[in-house]
Amino acid sequence: MDRPATRAAVVVNVHARNGGKAYAYAVDRLRSLGVPVGSTLPLRDPSRLPETVAAAVDAGHDLVVIGGGDGSVSSVVDVLAHRDVPLGLLPLGTANDFARTMHIPGDLEQACRTIADGHIVDVDLGLCGDNYYVNRASIGIGARVVESMSPWLKRRIGALAYPVATVKAFVRHRPFRARLRFPDDDHPPVEYERLLQVSVANGRYFGGGQLAAPDSGIDDSTLDVSVIRQGGVLDLLAVARNLRTGGGGSHVEHFRTTRVELETAPDLPVNVDGELVAHTPQRFRVARDALHVVVPRTWVDAQGPHSA
């Protein structure tokens, strides 16, 4: 790593899909690769992740290695945002969209090598009110997917849990009205009558590999807002296909901005990186260069390849 750590904390959510099996291997492998592991903290209660990471930082650890999925990462960025403590990641979740954005290998051996041999980059975070997030906040069917996504389903079928939960969510969804206002006046205010979803993405990927936009980046100092109108089943299937490449077709509008204010009728829950943590009306903005992350030396960002 190009800024060597002196004391690392390894915090693993052993209730993540692959957490229990990976914990002992990762700790041993990191040590054998020369990572100065000071504390090892396996957690069976994911809700304790933020307080555990905060305690590790306060105790003087200058590298925090998180083993878990997108929810684990999102839960600790409130602690690490604007702190001079890098995040190393062992992708152990279901979708691992943040790891995909950062090109961190899903293979545990290679992820450990990335932490030992990679380098540190600064990336943006999104802010939903006072909640930092890495991937995306969404209103509408995205929040319904969270409600339909049980831990049992994720453990049993892995990434297939997302399409299964999406079908369940679509059956329960009711179209909603929304108004978007852009405080920086980079777009005029817009209103919509019948929507399926509004999403505000910070990272490049979400939902198991869908693209926020074809040229989106996690270090481009902007958010990618997507508005999806309600349509028939065939229309929505076309939208789902196009989202894999960041498009969407005639039922989707995209906006790129640094700040957006959203009102809906009725008020709706907001899904932030897989957790329902807020409600509309809501304000979103980008927090530039707010998080330090250990990535492979071959990582490519919005501006091109990085080198040490």
Side-chain angles (χ1 to χ4, degrees), residues 258-295:
T258 56
R259 293 191 295 164
V260 61
E261 297 175 355
L262 173 67
E263 300 175 11
T264 65
D267 291 350
L268 293 170
V270 182
N271 162 22
V272 176
D273 284 343
E275 302 290 336
L276 302 179
V277 300
H279 283 77
T280 57
Q282 194 57 253
R283 297 179 178 181
F284 303 87
R285 65 183 178 89
V286 65
R288 298 176 179 175
D289 297 333
L291 183 68
H292 311 305
V293 187
V294 184
V295 299

PDB file of all heavy atoms in Angstrom, residues 258-295:
ATOM      1  N   THR A 258     -25.113  18.345  -8.563  1.00  0.00           N
ATOM      2  CA  THR A 258     -24.439  18.240  -7.264  1.00  0.00           C
ATOM      3  C   THR A 258     -25.429  18.243  -6.110  1.00  0.00           C
ATOM      4  O   THR A 258     -25.116  17.751  -5.025  1.00  0.00           O
ATOM      5  CB  THR A 258     -23.449  19.398  -7.059  1.00  0.00           C
ATOM      6  OG1 THR A 258     -24.141  20.643  -7.192  1.00  0.00           O
ATOM      7  CG2 THR A 258     -22.326  19.333  -8.092  1.00  0.00           C
ATOM      8  N   ARG A 259     -26.640  18.795  -6.359  1.00  0.00           N
ATOM      9  CA  ARG A 259     -27.649  18.841  -5.302  1.00  0.00           C
ATOM     10  C   ARG A 259     -29.037  18.706  -5.923  1.00  0.00           C
ATOM     11  O   ARG A 259     -29.305  19.253  -7.003  1.00  0.00           O
ATOM     12  CB  ARG A 259     -27.581  20.155  -4.519  1.00  0.00           C
ATOM     13  CG  ARG A 259     -26.323  20.342  -3.689  1.00  0.00           C
ATOM     14  CD  ARG A 259     -26.478  21.533  -2.744  1.00  0.00           C
ATOM     15  NE  ARG A 259     -26.599  22.791  -3.472  1.00  0.00           N
ATOM     16  CZ  ARG A 259     -27.042  23.926  -2.920  1.00  0.00           C
ATOM     17  NH1 ARG A 259     -27.447  23.938  -1.665  1.00  0.00           N
ATOM     18  NH2 ARG A 259     -27.086  25.029  -3.645  1.00  0.00           N
ATOM     19  N   VAL A 260     -29.928  18.000  -5.215  1.00  0.00           N
ATOM     20  CA  VAL A 260     -31.305  17.897  -5.664  1.00  0.00           C
ATOM     21  C   VAL A 260     -32.208  17.770  -4.448  1.00  0.00           C
ATOM     22  O   VAL A 260     -31.845  17.148  -3.445  1.00  0.00           O
ATOM     23  CB  VAL A 260     -31.501  16.694  -6.624  1.00  0.00           C
ATOM     24  CG1 VAL A 260     -31.171  15.376  -5.937  1.00  0.00           C
ATOM     25  CG2 VAL A 260     -32.919  16.669  -7.191  1.00  0.00           C
ATOM     26  N   GLU A 261     -33.374  18.399  -4.537  1.00  0.00           N
ATOM     27  CA  GLU A 261     -34.388  18.307  -3.489  1.00  0.00           C
ATOM     28  C   GLU A 261     -35.597  17.586  -4.068  1.00  0.00           C
ATOM     29  O   GLU A 261     -36.046  17.913  -5.177  1.00  0.00           O
ATOM     30  CB  GLU A 261     -34.764  19.695  -2.977  1.00  0.00           C
ATOM     31  CG  GLU A 261     -33.597  20.418  -2.331  1.00  0.00           C
ATOM     32  CD  GLU A 261     -33.940  21.841  -1.924  1.00  0.00           C
ATOM     33  OE1 GLU A 261     -35.066  22.300  -2.241  1.00  0.00           O
ATOM     34  OE2 GLU A 261     -33.098  22.489  -1.291  1.00  0.00           O
ATOM     35  N   LEU A 262     -36.120  16.626  -3.326  1.00  0.00           N
ATOM     36  CA  LEU A 262     -37.184  15.763  -3.832  1.00  0.00           C
ATOM     37  C   LEU A 262     -38.381  15.778  -2.894  1.00  0.00           C
ATOM     38  O   LEU A 262     -38.242  15.561  -1.689  1.00  0.00           O
ATOM     39  CB  LEU A 262     -36.659  14.322  -3.983  1.00  0.00           C
ATOM     40  CG  LEU A 262     -37.692  13.250  -4.334  1.00  0.00           C
ATOM     41  CD1 LEU A 262     -38.248  13.486  -5.745  1.00  0.00           C
ATOM     42  CD2 LEU A 262     -37.078  11.859  -4.242  1.00  0.00           C
ATOM     43  N   GLU A 263     -39.551  16.036  -3.472  1.00  0.00           N
ATOM     44  CA  GLU A 263     -40.820  15.901  -2.765  1.00  0.00           C
ATOM     45  C   GLU A 263     -41.655  14.856  -3.495  1.00  0.00           C
ATOM     46  O   GLU A 263     -41.634  14.790  -4.731  1.00  0.00           O
ATOM     47  CB  GLU A 263     -41.579  17.226  -2.732  1.00  0.00           C
ATOM     48  CG  GLU A 263     -40.846  18.356  -2.044  1.00  0.00           C
ATOM     49  CD  GLU A 263     -41.595  19.667  -2.146  1.00  0.00           C
ATOM     50  OE1 GLU A 263     -42.776  19.647  -2.578  1.00  0.00           O
ATOM     51  OE2 GLU A 263     -41.022  20.708  -1.818  1.00  0.00           O
ATOM     52  N   THR A 264     -42.403  14.044  -2.759  1.00  0.00           N
ATOM     53  CA  THR A 264     -43.277  13.049  -3.376  1.00  0.00           C
ATOM     54  C   THR A 264     -44.660  13.120  -2.735  1.00  0.00           C
ATOM     55  O   THR A 264     -44.823  13.599  -1.610  1.00  0.00           O
ATOM     56  CB  THR A 264     -42.733  11.618  -3.212  1.00  0.00           C
ATOM     57  OG1 THR A 264     -42.732  11.255  -1.820  1.00  0.00           O
ATOM     58  CG2 THR A 264     -41.333  11.496  -3.780  1.00  0.00           C
ATOM     59  N   ALA A 265     -45.653  12.648  -3.459  1.00  0.00           N
ATOM     60  CA  ALA A 265     -46.995  12.493  -2.928  1.00  0.00           C
ATOM     61  C   ALA A 265     -47.477  11.084  -3.268  1.00  0.00           C
ATOM     62  O   ALA A 265     -47.610  10.761  -4.445  1.00  0.00           O
ATOM     63  CB  ALA A 265     -47.932  13.542  -3.520  1.00  0.00           C
ATOM     64  N   PRO A 266     -47.655  10.246  -2.246  1.00  0.00           N
ATOM     65  CA  PRO A 266     -47.497  10.541  -0.818  1.00  0.00           C
ATOM     66  C   PRO A 266     -46.017  10.569  -0.414  1.00  0.00           C
ATOM     67  O   PRO A 266     -45.148  10.245  -1.223  1.00  0.00           O
ATOM     68  CB  PRO A 266     -48.207   9.361  -0.153  1.00  0.00           C
ATOM     69  CG  PRO A 266     -47.982   8.222  -1.117  1.00  0.00           C
ATOM     70  CD  PRO A 266     -48.069   8.845  -2.488  1.00  0.00           C
ATOM     71  N   ASP A 267     -45.730  10.937   0.856  1.00  0.00           N
ATOM     72  CA  ASP A 267     -44.379  10.790   1.381  1.00  0.00           C
ATOM     73  C   ASP A 267     -43.996   9.318   1.346  1.00  0.00           C
ATOM     74  O   ASP A 267     -44.810   8.438   1.648  1.00  0.00           O
ATOM     75  CB  ASP A 267     -44.297  11.297   2.827  1.00  0.00           C
ATOM     76  CG  ASP A 267     -44.463  12.806   2.918  1.00  0.00           C
ATOM     77  OD1 ASP A 267     -44.459  13.465   1.867  1.00  0.00           O
ATOM     78  OD2 ASP A 267     -44.609  13.304   4.052  1.00  0.00           O
ATOM     79  N   LEU A 268     -42.715   9.038   0.981  1.00  0.00           N
ATOM     80  CA  LEU A 268     -42.288   7.658   0.761  1.00  0.00           C
ATOM     81  C   LEU A 268     -40.960   7.389   1.458  1.00  0.00           C
ATOM     82  O   LEU A 268     -40.162   8.310   1.663  1.00  0.00           O
ATOM     83  CB  LEU A 268     -42.132   7.380  -0.741  1.00  0.00           C
ATOM     84  CG  LEU A 268     -43.413   7.409  -1.566  1.00  0.00           C
ATOM     85  CD1 LEU A 268     -43.073   7.355  -3.051  1.00  0.00           C
ATOM     86  CD2 LEU A 268     -44.334   6.255  -1.188  1.00  0.00           C
ATOM     87  N   PRO A 269     -40.691   6.123   1.816  1.00  0.00           N
ATOM     88  CA  PRO A 269     -39.388   5.778   2.394  1.00  0.00           C
ATOM     89  C   PRO A 269     -38.283   5.868   1.356  1.00  0.00           C
ATOM     90  O   PRO A 269     -38.519   5.732   0.150  1.00  0.00           O
ATOM     91  CB  PRO A 269     -39.577   4.336   2.872  1.00  0.00           C
ATOM     92  CG  PRO A 269     -40.695   3.798   2.037  1.00  0.00           C
ATOM     93  CD  PRO A 269     -41.592   4.965   1.752  1.00  0.00           C
ATOM     94  N   VAL A 270     -37.066   6.124   1.839  1.00  0.00           N
ATOM     95  CA  VAL A 270     -35.889   6.215   0.975  1.00  0.00           C
ATOM     96  C   VAL A 270     -34.976   5.032   1.279  1.00  0.00           C
ATOM     97  O   VAL A 270     -34.604   4.800   2.430  1.00  0.00           O
ATOM     98  CB  VAL A 270     -35.118   7.531   1.202  1.00  0.00           C
ATOM     99  CG1 VAL A 270     -33.929   7.617   0.242  1.00  0.00           C
ATOM    100  CG2 VAL A 270     -36.042   8.731   1.011  1.00  0.00           C
ATOM    101  N   ASN A 271     -34.635   4.293   0.235  1.00  0.00           N
ATOM    102  CA  ASN A 271     -33.690   3.175   0.322  1.00  0.00           C
ATOM    103  C   ASN A 271     -32.291   3.730   0.089  1.00  0.00           C
ATOM    104  O   ASN A 271     -31.986   4.240  -0.980  1.00  0.00           O
ATOM    105  CB  ASN A 271     -34.052   2.121  -0.732  1.00  0.00           C
ATOM    106  CG  ASN A 271     -32.921   1.155  -1.020  1.00  0.00           C
ATOM    107  OD1 ASN A 271     -32.015   0.969  -0.220  1.00  0.00           O
ATOM    108  ND2 ASN A 271     -32.987   0.533  -2.196  1.00  0.00           N
ATOM    109  N   VAL A 272     -31.440   3.656   1.104  1.00  0.00           N
ATOM    110  CA  VAL A 272     -30.066   4.121   1.006  1.00  0.00           C
ATOM    111  C   VAL A 272     -29.144   2.914   1.113  1.00  0.00           C
ATOM    112  O   VAL A 272     -29.003   2.330   2.193  1.00  0.00           O
ATOM    113  CB  VAL A 272     -29.739   5.160   2.100  1.00  0.00           C
ATOM    114  CG1 VAL A 272     -28.275   5.555   2.036  1.00  0.00           C
ATOM    115  CG2 VAL A 272     -30.626   6.384   1.946  1.00  0.00           C
ATOM    116  N   ASP A 273     -28.562   2.505  -0.024  1.00  0.00           N
ATOM    117  CA  ASP A 273     -27.653   1.349  -0.060  1.00  0.00           C
ATOM    118  C   ASP A 273     -28.253   0.116   0.607  1.00  0.00           C
ATOM    119  O   ASP A 273     -27.592  -0.605   1.359  1.00  0.00           O
ATOM    120  CB  ASP A 273     -26.320   1.692   0.609  1.00  0.00           C
ATOM    121  CG  ASP A 273     -25.436   2.569  -0.270  1.00  0.00           C
ATOM    122  OD1 ASP A 273     -25.700   2.639  -1.490  1.00  0.00           O
ATOM    123  OD2 ASP A 273     -24.496   3.182   0.265  1.00  0.00           O
ATOM    124  N   GLY A 274     -29.536  -0.117   0.345  1.00  0.00           N
ATOM    125  CA  GLY A 274     -30.167  -1.336   0.842  1.00  0.00           C
ATOM    126  C   GLY A 274     -30.805  -1.242   2.204  1.00  0.00           C
ATOM    127  O   GLY A 274     -31.281  -2.249   2.734  1.00  0.00           O
ATOM    128  N   GLU A 275     -30.851  -0.043   2.787  1.00  0.00           N
ATOM    129  CA  GLU A 275     -31.489   0.158   4.091  1.00  0.00           C
ATOM    130  C   GLU A 275     -32.479   1.314   3.987  1.00  0.00           C
ATOM    131  O   GLU A 275     -32.198   2.337   3.351  1.00  0.00           O
ATOM    132  CB  GLU A 275     -30.455   0.466   5.176  1.00  0.00           C
ATOM    133  CG  GLU A 275     -29.394  -0.601   5.367  1.00  0.00           C
ATOM    134  CD  GLU A 275     -29.931  -1.882   5.978  1.00  0.00           C
ATOM    135  OE1 GLU A 275     -30.976  -1.810   6.672  1.00  0.00           O
ATOM    136  OE2 GLU A 275     -29.315  -2.944   5.764  1.00  0.00           O
ATOM    137  N   LEU A 276     -33.635   1.170   4.634  1.00  0.00           N
ATOM    138  CA  LEU A 276     -34.617   2.241   4.668  1.00  0.00           C
ATOM    139  C   LEU A 276     -34.289   3.147   5.854  1.00  0.00           C
ATOM    140  O   LEU A 276     -34.550   2.797   7.006  1.00  0.00           O
ATOM    141  CB  LEU A 276     -36.028   1.668   4.793  1.00  0.00           C
ATOM    142  CG  LEU A 276     -36.446   0.703   3.677  1.00  0.00           C
ATOM    143  CD1 LEU A 276     -37.859   0.187   3.923  1.00  0.00           C
ATOM    144  CD2 LEU A 276     -36.353   1.364   2.305  1.00  0.00           C
ATOM    145  N   VAL A 277     -33.705   4.312   5.572  1.00  0.00           N
ATOM    146  CA  VAL A 277     -33.186   5.156   6.649  1.00  0.00           C
ATOM    147  C   VAL A 277     -33.793   6.560   6.655  1.00  0.00           C
ATOM    148  O   VAL A 277     -33.460   7.354   7.530  1.00  0.00           O
ATOM    149  CB  VAL A 277     -31.649   5.273   6.570  1.00  0.00           C
ATOM    150  CG1 VAL A 277     -31.003   3.902   6.681  1.00  0.00           C
ATOM    151  CG2 VAL A 277     -31.219   5.961   5.281  1.00  0.00           C
ATOM    152  N   ALA A 278     -34.660   6.892   5.709  1.00  0.00           N
ATOM    153  CA  ALA A 278     -35.198   8.248   5.639  1.00  0.00           C
ATOM    154  C   ALA A 278     -36.535   8.213   4.906  1.00  0.00           C
ATOM    155  O   ALA A 278     -36.982   7.159   4.437  1.00  0.00           O
ATOM    156  CB  ALA A 278     -34.218   9.174   4.921  1.00  0.00           C
ATOM    157  N   HIS A 279     -37.187   9.387   4.827  1.00  0.00           N
ATOM    158  CA  HIS A 279     -38.441   9.551   4.102  1.00  0.00           C
ATOM    159  C   HIS A 279     -38.385  10.851   3.298  1.00  0.00           C
ATOM    160  O   HIS A 279     -37.607  11.751   3.600  1.00  0.00           O
ATOM    161  CB  HIS A 279     -39.637   9.593   5.057  1.00  0.00           C
ATOM    162  CG  HIS A 279     -40.046   8.257   5.600  1.00  0.00           C
ATOM    163  ND1 HIS A 279     -39.349   7.637   6.612  1.00  0.00           N
ATOM    164  CD2 HIS A 279     -41.055   7.415   5.247  1.00  0.00           C
ATOM    165  CE1 HIS A 279     -39.924   6.471   6.882  1.00  0.00           C
ATOM    166  NE2 HIS A 279     -40.959   6.319   6.069  1.00  0.00           N
ATOM    167  N   THR A 280     -39.219  10.923   2.280  1.00  0.00           N
ATOM    168  CA  THR A 280     -39.395  12.178   1.563  1.00  0.00           C
ATOM    169  C   THR A 280     -40.333  13.071   2.362  1.00  0.00           C
ATOM    170  O   THR A 280     -41.144  12.575   3.140  1.00  0.00           O
ATOM    171  CB  THR A 280     -39.985  11.921   0.167  1.00  0.00           C
ATOM    172  OG1 THR A 280     -41.218  11.207   0.300  1.00  0.00           O
ATOM    173  CG2 THR A 280     -39.028  11.124  -0.686  1.00  0.00           C
ATOM    174  N   PRO A 281     -40.211  14.422   2.192  1.00  0.00           N
ATOM    175  CA  PRO A 281     -39.288  15.135   1.307  1.00  0.00           C
ATOM    176  C   PRO A 281     -37.847  15.010   1.804  1.00  0.00           C
ATOM    177  O   PRO A 281     -37.608  14.844   3.003  1.00  0.00           O
ATOM    178  CB  PRO A 281     -39.777  16.578   1.384  1.00  0.00           C
ATOM    179  CG  PRO A 281     -40.471  16.662   2.714  1.00  0.00           C
ATOM    180  CD  PRO A 281     -41.099  15.327   2.940  1.00  0.00           C
ATOM    181  N   GLN A 282     -36.898  15.084   0.846  1.00  0.00           N
ATOM    182  CA  GLN A 282     -35.513  14.819   1.201  1.00  0.00           C
ATOM    183  C   GLN A 282     -34.581  15.643   0.319  1.00  0.00           C
ATOM    184  O   GLN A 282     -34.908  15.972  -0.834  1.00  0.00           O
ATOM    185  CB  GLN A 282     -35.197  13.335   1.029  1.00  0.00           C
ATOM    186  CG  GLN A 282     -33.911  12.892   1.673  1.00  0.00           C
ATOM    187  CD  GLN A 282     -33.863  13.204   3.163  1.00  0.00           C
ATOM    188  OE1 GLN A 282     -33.136  14.123   3.552  1.00  0.00           O
ATOM    189  NE2 GLN A 282     -34.646  12.502   3.969  1.00  0.00           N
ATOM    190  N   ARG A 283     -33.400  15.963   0.883  1.00  0.00           N
ATOM    191  CA  ARG A 283     -32.359  16.670   0.143  1.00  0.00           C
ATOM    192  C   ARG A 283     -31.172  15.731  -0.073  1.00  0.00           C
ATOM    193  O   ARG A 283     -30.789  15.002   0.839  1.00  0.00           O
ATOM    194  CB  ARG A 283     -31.897  17.913   0.909  1.00  0.00           C
ATOM    195  CG  ARG A 283     -32.987  18.952   1.101  1.00  0.00           C
ATOM    196  CD  ARG A 283     -32.461  20.132   1.894  1.00  0.00           C
ATOM    197  NE  ARG A 283     -33.487  21.171   2.039  1.00  0.00           N
ATOM    198  CZ  ARG A 283     -33.287  22.329   2.673  1.00  0.00           C
ATOM    199  NH1 ARG A 283     -32.092  22.580   3.210  1.00  0.00           N
ATOM    200  NH2 ARG A 283     -34.261  23.219   2.759  1.00  0.00           N
ATOM    201  N   PHE A 284     -30.593  15.804  -1.253  1.00  0.00           N
ATOM    202  CA  PHE A 284     -29.431  14.985  -1.598  1.00  0.00           C
ATOM    203  C   PHE A 284     -28.321  15.908  -2.116  1.00  0.00           C
ATOM    204  O   PHE A 284     -28.582  16.867  -2.838  1.00  0.00           O
ATOM    205  CB  PHE A 284     -29.782  13.976  -2.695  1.00  0.00           C
ATOM    206  CG  PHE A 284     -30.925  13.065  -2.346  1.00  0.00           C
ATOM    207  CD1 PHE A 284     -32.235  13.436  -2.605  1.00  0.00           C
ATOM    208  CD2 PHE A 284     -30.690  11.831  -1.756  1.00  0.00           C
ATOM    209  CE1 PHE A 284     -33.290  12.601  -2.286  1.00  0.00           C
ATOM    210  CE2 PHE A 284     -31.728  10.992  -1.435  1.00  0.00           C
ATOM    211  CZ  PHE A 284     -33.036  11.384  -1.699  1.00  0.00           C
ATOM    212  N   ARG A 285     -27.086  15.574  -1.764  1.00  0.00           N
ATOM    213  CA  ARG A 285     -25.952  16.317  -2.309  1.00  0.00           C
ATOM    214  C   ARG A 285     -24.725  15.414  -2.332  1.00  0.00           C
ATOM    215  O   ARG A 285     -24.703  14.346  -1.696  1.00  0.00           O
ATOM    216  CB  ARG A 285     -25.664  17.575  -1.505  1.00  0.00           C
ATOM    217  CG  ARG A 285     -25.218  17.357  -0.073  1.00  0.00           C
ATOM    218  CD  ARG A 285     -25.030  18.694   0.638  1.00  0.00           C
ATOM    219  NE  ARG A 285     -24.649  18.554   2.028  1.00  0.00           N
ATOM    220  CZ  ARG A 285     -23.393  18.469   2.458  1.00  0.00           C
ATOM    221  NH1 ARG A 285     -22.384  18.500   1.586  1.00  0.00           N
ATOM    222  NH2 ARG A 285     -23.123  18.346   3.742  1.00  0.00           N
ATOM    223  N   VAL A 286     -23.718  15.842  -3.076  1.00  0.00           N
ATOM    224  CA  VAL A 286     -22.487  15.074  -3.175  1.00  0.00           C
ATOM    225  C   VAL A 286     -21.480  15.622  -2.169  1.00  0.00           C
ATOM    226  O   VAL A 286     -21.388  16.833  -1.960  1.00  0.00           O
ATOM    227  CB  VAL A 286     -21.908  15.116  -4.608  1.00  0.00           C
ATOM    228  CG1 VAL A 286     -21.484  16.521  -5.003  1.00  0.00           C
ATOM    229  CG2 VAL A 286     -20.765  14.135  -4.754  1.00  0.00           C
ATOM    230  N   ALA A 287     -20.773  14.712  -1.500  1.00  0.00           N
ATOM    231  CA  ALA A 287     -19.672  15.072  -0.600  1.00  0.00           C
ATOM    232  C   ALA A 287     -18.381  14.696  -1.313  1.00  0.00           C
ATOM    233  O   ALA A 287     -18.021  13.516  -1.420  1.00  0.00           O
ATOM    234  CB  ALA A 287     -19.802  14.335   0.729  1.00  0.00           C
ATOM    235  N   ARG A 288     -17.675  15.674  -1.826  1.00  0.00           N
ATOM    236  CA  ARG A 288     -16.533  15.431  -2.695  1.00  0.00           C
ATOM    237  C   ARG A 288     -15.335  14.893  -1.916  1.00  0.00           C
ATOM    238  O   ARG A 288     -14.992  15.394  -0.847  1.00  0.00           O
ATOM    239  CB  ARG A 288     -16.150  16.714  -3.428  1.00  0.00           C
ATOM    240  CG  ARG A 288     -17.253  17.242  -4.346  1.00  0.00           C
ATOM    241  CD  ARG A 288     -16.869  18.567  -4.964  1.00  0.00           C
ATOM    242  NE  ARG A 288     -17.914  19.052  -5.867  1.00  0.00           N
ATOM    243  CZ  ARG A 288     -17.882  20.231  -6.472  1.00  0.00           C
ATOM    244  NH1 ARG A 288     -16.857  21.039  -6.251  1.00  0.00           N
ATOM    245  NH2 ARG A 288     -18.870  20.599  -7.270  1.00  0.00           N
ATOM    246  N   ASP A 289     -14.702  13.875  -2.490  1.00  0.00           N
ATOM    247  CA  ASP A 289     -13.454  13.313  -1.939  1.00  0.00           C
ATOM    248  C   ASP A 289     -13.578  13.017  -0.445  1.00  0.00           C
ATOM    249  O   ASP A 289     -12.662  13.264   0.337  1.00  0.00           O
ATOM    250  CB  ASP A 289     -12.280  14.269  -2.172  1.00  0.00           C
ATOM    251  CG  ASP A 289     -11.991  14.485  -3.648  1.00  0.00           C
ATOM    252  OD1 ASP A 289     -12.296  13.573  -4.443  1.00  0.00           O
ATOM    253  OD2 ASP A 289     -11.466  15.550  -4.003  1.00  0.00           O
ATOM    254  N   ALA A 290     -14.708  12.447  -0.051  1.00  0.00           N
ATOM    255  CA  ALA A 290     -15.000  12.287   1.375  1.00  0.00           C
ATOM    256  C   ALA A 290     -14.475  10.991   1.962  1.00  0.00           C
ATOM    257  O   ALA A 290     -14.395  10.858   3.183  1.00  0.00           O
ATOM    258  CB  ALA A 290     -16.508  12.365   1.605  1.00  0.00           C
ATOM    259  N   LEU A 291     -14.100  10.018   1.118  1.00  0.00           N
ATOM    260  CA  LEU A 291     -13.720   8.700   1.621  1.00  0.00           C
ATOM    261  C   LEU A 291     -12.424   8.248   0.955  1.00  0.00           C
ATOM    262  O   LEU A 291     -12.260   8.376  -0.265  1.00  0.00           O
ATOM    263  CB  LEU A 291     -14.823   7.677   1.314  1.00  0.00           C
ATOM    264  CG  LEU A 291     -14.619   6.263   1.846  1.00  0.00           C
ATOM    265  CD1 LEU A 291     -14.700   6.242   3.375  1.00  0.00           C
ATOM    266  CD2 LEU A 291     -15.671   5.310   1.261  1.00  0.00           C
ATOM    267  N   HIS A 292     -11.491   7.712   1.756  1.00  0.00           N
ATOM    268  CA  HIS A 292     -10.249   7.132   1.242  1.00  0.00           C
ATOM    269  C   HIS A 292     -10.435   5.610   1.153  1.00  0.00           C
ATOM    270  O   HIS A 292     -10.862   4.980   2.125  1.00  0.00           O
ATOM    271  CB  HIS A 292      -9.077   7.440   2.170  1.00  0.00           C
ATOM    272  CG  HIS A 292      -8.975   8.879   2.567  1.00  0.00           C
ATOM    273  ND1 HIS A 292      -8.912   9.906   1.651  1.00  0.00           N
ATOM    274  CD2 HIS A 292      -8.937   9.467   3.792  1.00  0.00           C
ATOM    275  CE1 HIS A 292      -8.835  11.058   2.288  1.00  0.00           C
ATOM    276  NE2 HIS A 292      -8.850  10.817   3.587  1.00  0.00           N
ATOM    277  N   VAL A 293     -10.087   5.038   0.009  1.00  0.00           N
ATOM    278  CA  VAL A 293     -10.304   3.616  -0.232  1.00  0.00           C
ATOM    279  C   VAL A 293      -9.045   2.989  -0.816  1.00  0.00           C
ATOM    280  O   VAL A 293      -8.395   3.582  -1.687  1.00  0.00           O
ATOM    281  CB  VAL A 293     -11.480   3.382  -1.215  1.00  0.00           C
ATOM    282  CG1 VAL A 293     -11.811   1.893  -1.319  1.00  0.00           C
ATOM    283  CG2 VAL A 293     -12.716   4.167  -0.776  1.00  0.00           C
ATOM    284  N   VAL A 294      -8.714   1.787  -0.344  1.00  0.00           N
ATOM    285  CA  VAL A 294      -7.593   1.029  -0.909  1.00  0.00           C
ATOM    286  C   VAL A 294      -8.105   0.261  -2.123  1.00  0.00           C
ATOM    287  O   VAL A 294      -9.045  -0.529  -2.015  1.00  0.00           O
ATOM    288  CB  VAL A 294      -6.994   0.056   0.119  1.00  0.00           C
ATOM    289  CG1 VAL A 294      -5.760  -0.634  -0.477  1.00  0.00           C
ATOM    290  CG2 VAL A 294      -6.627   0.776   1.413  1.00  0.00           C
ATOM    291  N   VAL A 295      -7.499   0.493  -3.280  1.00  0.00           N
ATOM    292  CA  VAL A 295      -7.956  -0.104  -4.538  1.00  0.00           C
ATOM    293  C   VAL A 295      -6.776  -0.732  -5.273  1.00  0.00           C
ATOM    294  O   VAL A 295      -5.614  -0.447  -4.963  1.00  0.00           O
ATOM    295  CB  VAL A 295      -8.620   0.959  -5.446  1.00  0.00           C
ATOM    296  CG1 VAL A 295      -9.828   1.570  -4.781  1.00  0.00           C
ATOM    297  CG2 VAL A 295      -7.613   2.035  -5.838  1.00  0.00           C
TER     298      VAL A 295
END
